[in-house]
Amino acid sequence: MPSSAEADRRAKPQAAEPKVPAAEAPRCESCGTGRLALDNVRTALWSGERLVVVEDVPALVCTHCGEQFYEDETAMRLDMLRGGGFPTGSAAREMVVPVFKFSTPRNSEG
Ligand SMILES: [Zn+2]
């Protein structure tokens, strides 16, 4: 019966599963081994032809594989920043980044 199954699915989260206690960090979904710890990270993203860096982004970082997970609200905020076009005037600072070619032709000297 579809209707009763749906009702069951809706009732479950509030009835059975308690929230994860603060002491127990959530397990990493990527590697399944590490635990996620809240940390501030920086992320680089493309805005058209510009590469911009956003610092102090709150993320859950896996202690084992380093995978980063954003809360929905954080992801939304990043989207909003991207939507704002990252005006140069509001940048905290600028940094120079080295650019590499994936495949570099080998030099014969050396
Ligand atoms: Zn992991």
Side-chain angles (χ1 to χ4, degrees), residues 22-99:
E24 178 133 354
R27 196 175 284 275
C28 171
E29 288 171 26
S30 185
C31 66
T33 307
R35 297 284 179 172
L36 300 180
L38 192 61
D39 201 356
N40 279 340
V41 303
R42 61 176 142 186
T43 183
L45 29 96
W46 288 97
S47 170
E49 286 297 302
R50 292 162 72 220
L51 178 67
V52 302
V53 173
V54 183
E55 288 182 317
D56 296 332
V57 184
L60 291 165
V61 183
C62 175
T63 53
H64 183 72
C65 71
E67 185 76 28
Q68 298 172 2
F69 300 89
Y70 298 136
E71 304 272 13
D72 286 350
E73 198 186 315
T74 305
M76 230 163 63
R77 223 179 128 67
L78 280 172
D79 273 352
M80 276 171 59
L81 278 169
R82 198 200 305 255
F86 299 107
T88 309
S90 17
R93 59 195 178 89
E94 297 204 344
M95 64 196 285
V96 178
V97 296
V99 178

